[in-house]
Amino acid sequence: MGDAHPKYPLLFSPLKVGNVTIKNRAIMGSMHTGLEEQADGHLRQAEYFAERARGGVGLIITGGISPNEEGGGGAKLANAEEVARHRVITDAVHEADPEVKICMQILHAGPLVRSEACVAPSAVASPIGGYTPRELDEAGIEKQLSDFANCARCAEEAGYDGVEIIGSAGYLLSTFLVRKTNLRTDKWGGSYENRMRFPLEVVRRVRAAVSEDFIVIFRIAAMDMLQDGMSWEEIVQLAKALEKEGVSIISTHFTWHESAVPTIATMVPRAAFTSVTGRLRKEVSVPMITSNRINMPDVAEGVLARGDADLVSMARPMLADSQFMVKAAEGREDEINTCIACNQACLDHTFGGRQEVSCLVNPRACHETQLSYEPTAKRKKIAVVGAGPAGLAYATIAAERGHDVELFEQADEIGGQFNLAKRIPGKEEFHETLRYFRRQLDVTGVTLRLGTRVDADQLSHGGYDEIIIATGINPRTPAIDGIDNPKVIGYIDAILGRKPVGERVAIIGAGGIGFDVAELISHSGKSSALDIDLFAKEWGVDFKNHPRGGVTGVEPEVAPSPRKIWLLQRKTSRVGRGLGKTTGWTHRLTLSRRGIQMVPGVNYDRITDEGIYCTISGEPTLLQVDTIILCAGQEPLRDLYDALMETGANVSLIGGAYEAAELDAKRAINQAAYAAAAV
Ligand code: FAD
Ligand code: NAP
Ligand code: SF4
């Protein structure tokens, strides 16, 4: 064994699992990418995983693969043809680095399968499933068990180093364990011993179907966050029984998908749940994996140093930066493109069911065969105007490719609107993206000119081959009678604290920014994203006593808003409907617990010194407020572009300057990355 890493000695220490050595303690956790079901998905996954293997991770776990049609079907592994496709993936990973291990996750989604043919221990529909499942009879149970064994056998044949069986989240195995989803009275239900029987039998069959050195990981719900969910004693009993059945590693998972506690969103403190793994680790001797909001090497090292786990799973952080572990190893952690836990391009896409997964901060994620930053054959002199996310992404990628890039920013700092976003409680991670870009500007050699507002004349005479306008947006001022009343302020002034905000406030516009402003002005005290105890209190989690499900079951303690707030929109649809698929509910719930009135169907009639006169669902109403904050969307800022077009310069638009409607950082960075890859 070589010398210990000076900064991350535990993270970079190998771990022996039976006769297999995992070269370090970092796991790329399982994530469904949408590539699994595609015709050429195996080729794209091969490159996606191989890049992560080259990036230094010790063990990769694939997205969920079903053992049969009932389990989800879209991506399954059950026959020779499917084995051949998976072989492409395992070969690519082992060629990239023969020391890197790759395990395939076997996922039988049970009642969460979107089909009438879905199955479960009992005919109990999930609150988030589309169908009432068919209760499995004895033959059905036997079929599932033998399909699991067959799937594991196929995985070994396909070259995987192991499998992970998911026994959590509301998928099939976990529904056997929990009383509310298992109403059976035969040997597969009733007592806890009976409810454990199916998951344990799956492990027994899988173990018997594969060779001794094949890794078998079981993902257990160490805190399912369900009212009347699993008790701590039941979890320990299951872990001990799994150990007896010969699992190689236990991975701890937190939550079922239906639970109302956020476990990975950006407002969850870093490493919030690892203490639970630490408690379970004391009960068994198999290595234990922990996960959730571990997004930087020092966080991972801290978890290992506390003895919370043997291995640390980082799923989204490996999307955000495939070279995470190489950078950590080389002391270049300030170059890590950190996952900000926004879910916008990963889980929102998966659960939205329509788009392929990618990453807001790294559009190459899952698109490795389609977007690459090759060195340029023809070095160009490029001016980029605006150092918001779009300008930063464009400038750093173009410079990385070898172009000579000058970046102009009128403010004294880079970041554009991210400098507003980072001030919102729960969005502290946005600081990391700014740190990443600051460092990338140096590493790639961009010439940064801060405090420099350029005009068309300077640019057109600057000798540039290309001019990229990334000047962003102007907040929209809606045409409402009395809009210039001194009560009315813009969201930028409100967020920066440049203008006072009174005790009674109306927010016009309930998009992402309206919600963020409501969060900011209704918040008091410390951000719970930075304090695990506070987070637990706000979301009703009891880490210490671990009642059933880990949740207290009483209305969580939320600091009341210091202001009376109305969050208004014209649309008659539910307020906040357009927010992220996997995070929108957390924002709606937080604001309603603080007593914020979210009002749809508003017609703004006029603003006076009394407040805002509006018609709400046909009823004339006066909201007597001290302050009205405008969060009514944005218009592109294109003056410079228009002026440059007249000079005949070679100029193009990206980000908010190109299109402000529904613009977010995901689209801004994505558009910039593709443009910079092509220049
Ligand atoms: P901007 O960020 O607006 O940057 C434009 C830059 O150009 C500015 O720095 C400006 O100073 C500079 N500039 C303008 N004119 C000139 C000139 N003539 N010369 C020099 N410099 C100039 N998006 C998400 O995806 N997820 C979120 O969670 C999220 N949260 C947000 C929260 C808040 C409070 C706000 C305000 C926005 C949030 N957004 C979020 C939106 C996101 O920040 C924007 O979509 C993104 O910043 C747009 O990037 P951009 O580079 O096009 O423009
Ligand atoms: P937005 O999401 O488009 O919302 C604008 C709001 O203003 C809407 O509620 C709209 O609703 C209202 N509005 C539009 N025109 C109006 C008018 N003329 N008069 C009165 N109201 C009007 O834009 P945003 O909130 O400014 O956010 C900008 C971008 O940043 C968005 O794309 C968003 O996704 C992104 N962002 C994301 C997050 C996140 O957490 N993911 C957070 C912040 C921002 P009605 O038309 O119904 O009134
Ligand atoms: Fe992380 Fe957001 Fe990227 Fe998902 S999209 S990996 S949450 S930064």
Side-chain angles (χ1 to χ4, degrees):
M1 208 173 94
D3 291 336
H5 189 277
K7 207 160 165 196
Y8 310 114
L10 300 172
L11 185 59
F12 283 99
S13 63
L15 179 74
K16 273 207 100 177
V17 180
N19 292 317
V20 179
T21 302
I22 299 175
K23 70 173 186 171
N24 60 43
R25 305 304 177 101
I27 295 179
M28 175 180 181
S30 176
M31 262 173 305
H32 186 83
T33 60
L35 301 180
E36 294 84 356
E37 292 89 0
Q38 294 184 10
D40 66 346
H42 56 302
L43 301 174
R44 289 179 60 188
Q45 283 180 86
E47 195 40 47
Y48 159 65
F49 287 127
E51 186 167 313
R52 270 78 195 167
R54 286 190 289 273
V57 69
L59 166 65
I60 292 170
I61 302 179
T62 68
I65 302 293
S66 174
N68 54 22
E69 287 297 333
E70 304 91 287
K76 80 178 168 48
L77 176 58
N79 58 41
E81 195 189 319
E82 288 155 357
V83 166
R85 280 167 61 87
H86 281 269
R87 176 53 87 172
V88 176
I89 297 171
T90 59
D91 280 351
V93 167
H94 293 137
E95 263 164 41
D97 183 341
E99 284 187 21
V100 173
K101 308 294 174 216
I102 177 163
C103 294
M104 189 194 83
Q105 187 183 77
I106 307 181
L107 185 154
H108 188 310
L112 296 183
V113 173
R114 302 243 153 223
S115 146
E116 273 175 0
C118 65
V119 296
S122 303
V124 178
S126 158
I128 56 164
Y131 299 90
T132 300
R134 183 171 54 80
E135 178 175 315
L136 284 163
D137 59 14
E138 196 60 37
I141 287 187
E142 181 52 38
K143 178 178 184 303
Q144 307 312 308
L145 291 170
S146 67
D147 288 348
F148 265 96
N150 176 53
C151 183
R153 196 177 304 117
C154 289
E156 186 163 27
E157 223 177 290
Y160 286 106
D161 300 290
V163 288
E164 175 177 87
I165 301 164
I166 184 154
S168 52
Y171 297 131
L172 183 69
L173 270 61
S174 54
T175 55
F176 272 89
L177 290 164
V178 171
R179 210 183 276 279
K180 73 163 187 161
T181 47
N182 184 345
L183 311 177
R184 302 177 76 101
T185 50
D186 60 4
K187 67 176 184 180
W188 306 103
S191 68
Y192 188 56
E193 275 71 21
N194 281 355
R195 283 183 275 135
M196 281 198 304
R197 195 182 304 280
F198 182 81
L200 293 178
E201 189 60 27
V202 167
V203 172
R204 198 170 300 145
R205 301 281 183 104
V206 164
R207 195 71 273 180
V210 295
S211 66
E212 203 187 322
D213 286 342
F214 196 66
I215 299 170
V216 176
I217 307 171
F218 190 94
R219 197 148 202 218
I220 193 169
M223 215 179 214
D224 56 31
M225 311 285 179
L226 299 176
Q227 299 296 334
D228 211 24
M230 281 173 77
S231 71
W232 179 245
E233 292 70 29
E234 288 173 350
I235 293 162
V236 172
Q237 199 180 333
L238 177 63
K240 288 186 170 165
L242 287 166
E243 183 172 28
K244 248 196 188 150
E245 291 301 341
V247 297
S248 330
I249 303 176
I250 293 177
S251 176
T252 46
H253 202 189
F254 309 98
T255 204
W256 273 29
H257 293 312
E258 69 187 57
S259 112
V261 177
T263 50
I264 56 169
T266 194
M267 84 270 276
V268 177
R270 289 176 171 190
F273 295 95
T274 64
S275 64
V276 182
T277 316
R279 265 195 281 127
L280 195 55
R281 186 169 176 251
K282 293 198 183 92
E283 304 283 349
V284 288
S285 52
V286 284
M288 195 71 83
I289 304 175
T290 196
S291 64
N292 289 43
R293 291 288 284 118
I294 301 168
N295 63 349
M296 285 299 274
D298 59 334
V299 184
E301 183 72 15
V303 167
L304 296 168
R306 280 197 299 279
D308 280 356
D310 300 282
L311 294 149
V312 171
S313 170
M314 291 174 279
R316 297 171 300 165
M318 298 292 167
L319 275 187
D321 197 330
S322 64
Q323 305 304 300
F324 184 103
M325 287 296 282
V326 164
K327 289 176 181 175
E330 294 173 358
R332 296 190 289 125
E333 44 284 87
D334 58 352
E335 291 178 37
I336 290 176
N337 200 358
T338 306
C339 166
I340 58 174
C342 64
N343 287 359
Q344 284 177 242
C346 52
L347 288 170
D348 283 351
H349 285 201
T350 304
F351 288 97
R354 283 193 304 273
Q355 292 159 289
E356 282 170 10
V357 162
S358 184
C359 170
L360 179 142
V361 299
N362 173 24
R364 284 198 67 243
C366 299
H367 294 74
E368 290 74 12
T369 57
Q370 299 169 347
L371 175 62
S372 54
Y373 308 143
E374 301 297 334
T376 178
K378 186 170 179 282
R379 183 173 159 91
K380 287 183 172 177
K381 187 168 150 76
I382 302 174
V384 180
V385 186
L392 287 165
Y394 188 100
T396 52
I397 294 167
E400 178 188 326
R401 295 188 49 229
H403 293 296
D404 173 10
V405 182
E406 216 170 335
L407 173 61
F408 298 95
E409 169 56 54
Q410 65 187 3
D412 294 329
E413 58 179 347
I414 62 160
Q417 291 175 70
F418 262 33
N419 289 314
L420 301 173
K422 74 185 184 194
R423 291 169 175 260
I424 308 299
K427 286 197 166 176
E428 292 80 2
E429 292 287 0
F430 282 62
H431 283 280
E432 294 286 4
T433 306
L434 296 172
R435 181 264 309 145
Y436 165 77
F437 275 126
R438 231 172 269 127
R439 183 75 187 115
Q440 276 308 98
L441 291 171
D442 283 347
V443 171
T444 60
V446 172
T447 306
L448 174 65
R449 308 223 182 270
L450 287 177
T452 310
R453 192 181 162 82
V454 272
D455 60 27
D457 193 44
Q458 283 165 284
L459 287 168
S460 60
H461 292 101
Y464 299 106
D465 301 309
E466 307 260 351
I467 301 169
I468 310 299
I469 302 298
T471 46
I473 51 87
N474 259 334
R476 177 182 293 129
T477 303
I480 304 172
D481 227 7
I483 194 79
D484 11 347
N485 189 289
K487 277 182 192 292
V488 180
I489 67 173
Y491 66 80
I492 299 178
D493 286 337
I495 294 173
L496 296 179
R498 291 196 300 216
K499 290 194 178 160
V501 175
E503 280 180 14
R504 294 170 64 83
V505 184
I507 299 174
I508 293 187
I513 293 178
F515 265 81
D516 274 356
V517 166
E519 164 64 42
L520 179 72
I521 64 169
S522 64
H523 184 94
S524 55
K526 194 172 175 188
S527 167
S528 59
L530 304 175
D531 185 321
I532 295 177
D533 291 339
L534 201 54
F535 168 82
K537 246 191 211 164
E538 282 191 2
W539 291 96
V541 179
D542 185 347
F543 286 115
K544 209 163 131 228
N545 303 304
H546 204 126
R548 278 195 177 274
V551 286
T552 59
V554 295
E555 193 56 28
E557 279 176 51
V558 177
S561 168
R563 300 184 166 91
K564 174 83 193 148
I565 301 166
W566 288 266
L567 179 57
L568 312 172
Q569 72 175 29
R570 297 173 303 178
K571 286 185 286 291
T572 50
S573 54
R574 191 163 57 124
V575 174
R577 199 165 167 201
L579 299 177
K581 176 99 185 155
T582 60
T583 53
W585 65 272
T586 60
H587 300 301
R588 287 189 295 269
L589 200 53
T590 303
L591 294 192
S592 72
R593 281 178 178 160
R594 287 188 196 151
I596 280 110
Q597 301 291 312
M598 290 174 257
V599 191
V602 180
N603 187 49
Y604 309 109
D605 298 329
R606 63 188 190 283
I607 294 167
T608 71
D609 290 341
E610 287 170 287
I612 177 161
Y613 283 86
C614 36
T615 309
I616 301 175
S617 306
E619 279 290 308
T621 311
L622 166 64
L623 297 177
Q624 288 179 312
V625 293
D626 313 308
T627 311
I628 295 162
I629 306 177
L630 299 179
C631 301
Q634 291 122 1
E635 314 278 359
L637 183 55
R638 289 205 195 131
D639 306 357
L640 190 54
Y641 175 80
D642 294 340
L644 275 163
M645 284 302 277
E646 283 176 19
T647 69
N650 188 10
V651 55
S652 43
L653 289 163
I654 55 171
Y658 172 79
E659 168 76 75
E662 290 176 19
L663 173 86
D664 57 11
K666 177 178 76 175
R667 208 180 76 205
I669 293 176
N670 190 285
Q671 187 193 26
Y674 276 89
V679 65

